[in-house]
Amino acid sequence: MFKINDNYLKLPGSYLFSTIAKKVSEFQAANPDKSVIRLGIGDVTQPLAPVIIDALHGAVDEMGKAETFHGYAPDLGYEFLRTAIAKNDYADRGCEITADEIFVSDGAKCDSGNIQEIFSVDNKIAVCDPVYPVYVDTNVMAGRTGTYDPKTEMWSDVIYMPCTADNNFAPELPKETPDLIYLCFPNNPTGATITKAQLQEWVDYANRVGAVIIYDAAYEAYISEPDVPHTIFECEGARTCAIELKSFSKNAGFTGTRLGYTVIPRDLKCGTVTLHSLWARRHGTKYNGAPYIQQRAGEAVYSPEGKVQLAKQVAYYMNNAKVIKEGLQEAGYTVSGGVNAPYIWLKTPEKMTSWEFFDYLLANANVVGTPGSGFGPSGEGYFRLTAFGTYENTVAALERIRKM
Ligand code: MLT
């Protein structure tokens, strides 16, 4: 008789954004006359930039001719894209990352969930609390997190690093030594960032204790302040302790078309084994590459026109962030984030729990957000709104919230 991977049964509830989607459809079915504004999941709303559409059209035409047709992509991704990434995202920032240290994929969500596979199940993970749920859930699936305590909403074998108003939503070095440290800056969900000096402390710490930092930089394009690092490889010593995850979803609107990449420097080793070789083995065995047309679209992101068009798109969303932040502040809410990230983190009013506020906001303003407690116990009493809606919906949502 077959047996299942019963680690899956340990997972409490369903994936956060699936739970929210279900609640919203139930509300919409019961209230068909209400127009619901969705500022919950961080999904973009602006169309792909013209330069990307042109690149996609060009690549589709190539696929229609025998002489320019492309089948399976190379294991690590096409050279033209990896070279563009290495130059623009690393060399131009003074960081030493070569094209062959970049693995192109269909997005950072899959990579952030799959990367744990190349580590022993005995490794102990440290996560920020609150945190993007994929990091913890995929380690649960792998059997790395011990037992779940429904009272504290914590796993016995996970090191939680609370990110609260007291520490400006920036984690402190943990007391217990982890093997794998997940960091995401600019942060999802709090929208907080850390300075380069703060990130350097993490890199020094990881090198000192022999830990690996899995650094999720999906929101890097939203950085507006000068002292915030765009990549962990700006820090000295990161090549021996860090893996970086990047996405084209948020900077270029690829949530529906999918593209991302992971950087594993060849200097990152366990004894004599490079993590690069393990991920290359995994990639080769389990993955057949992001589509050619997508990789051409990714290349267009780094073209001069691409940079101009996408900077406008980022500015559009950051204007929404300003509308949300200022609107909430005027309405008397305590808010943070929204300066270097497209997420606004607010304190729920009148000591409501995060889910109480979710229901209250949906019922009274017909606006959907994300309950902070869905990201971890320290998110209780907080709520996340995304700036990825349209400008019109964002303004309308804030008007409704002010009237509540
Ligand atoms: C979020 O809302 O946290 C993100 O959209 C999730 C993701 O990028 O997968």
Side-chain angles (χ1 to χ4, degrees), residues 15 17 40-43 109 132 188 219 250 343 375 384:
Y15 182 56
F17 294 104
I41 192 163
D43 195 3
K109 182 178 183 181
Y132 179 46
N188 178 15
Y219 299 94
K250 320 290 173 168
Y343 293 127
F375 297 101
R384 192 193 79 175

Side-chain angles (χ1 to χ4, degrees), residues 103-289:
F103 296 78
V104 175
S105 73
D106 59 2
K109 182 178 183 181
C110 312
D111 285 357
S112 67
N114 291 327
I115 196 73
Q116 46 77 29
E117 269 187 48
I118 62 170
F119 297 97
S120 157
V121 281
D122 299 334
N123 282 320
K124 192 142 204 181
I125 66 162
V127 294
C128 291
D129 172 22
V131 71
Y132 179 46
V134 172
Y135 313 151
V136 177
D137 287 3
T138 52
N139 277 286
V140 175
M141 292 168 179
R144 201 177 277 116
T145 54
T147 50
Y148 184 70
D149 179 347
K151 265 214 207 91
T152 58
E153 297 178 0
M154 286 174 160
W155 294 90
S156 58
D157 289 348
V158 172
I159 301 169
Y160 291 88
M161 305 182 290
C163 297
T164 61
D166 291 341
N167 57 17
N168 256 328
F169 304 101
E172 283 143 37
L173 298 179
K175 291 194 180 70
E176 192 185 343
T177 307
D179 302 300
L180 305 177
I181 304 164
Y182 287 84
L183 294 179
C184 170
F185 290 106
N187 187 257
N188 178 15
T190 65
T193 44
I194 55 174
T195 61
K196 187 171 164 189
Q198 284 174 302
L199 186 56
Q200 183 66 56
E201 277 179 37
W202 280 97
V203 168
D204 294 343
Y205 170 76
N207 276 321
R208 204 162 59 237
V209 301
V212 171
I213 298 175
I214 299 169
Y215 193 73
D216 185 343
Y219 299 94
E220 170 274 316
Y222 292 85
I223 294 171
S224 68
E225 292 181 324
D227 197 25
V228 180
H230 286 254
T231 153
I232 195 166
F233 297 109
E234 285 179 35
C235 297
E236 214 162 301
R239 286 186 57 86
T240 51
C241 69
I243 291 176
E244 183 158 278
L245 310 168
K246 282 292 292 278
S247 166
F248 287 79
S249 290
K250 320 290 173 168
N251 65 329
F254 283 31
T255 52
T257 40
R258 315 301 307 149
L259 195 67
Y261 68 84
T262 288
V263 179
I264 309 191
R266 287 183 187 275
D267 301 346
L268 181 47
K269 291 182 187 155
C270 181
T272 55
V273 181
T274 65
L275 296 190
H276 184 283
S277 67
L278 301 187
W279 190 243
R281 186 68 171 86
R282 186 210 173 269
H283 227 54
T285 306
K286 292 196 174 183
Y287 189 58
N288 256 335

Side-chain angles (χ1 to χ4, degrees), residues 2 6 19 33 36-37 40 57 72 85-87 125 139 159 172 190 256 288 297 322 349 358:
F2 70 88
D6 55 14
T19 309
D33 54 316
V36 171
I37 299 179
H57 282 159
Y72 291 128
I85 294 169
K87 178 183 179 312
I125 66 162
N139 277 286
I159 301 169
E172 283 143 37
T190 65
N288 256 335
K322 193 162 170 269
F358 174 90

Side-chain angles (χ1 to χ4, degrees), residues 1-9:
M1 180 63 184
F2 70 88
K3 295 196 176 81
I4 53 164
N5 174 356
D6 55 14
N7 291 319
Y8 276 66
L9 304 181

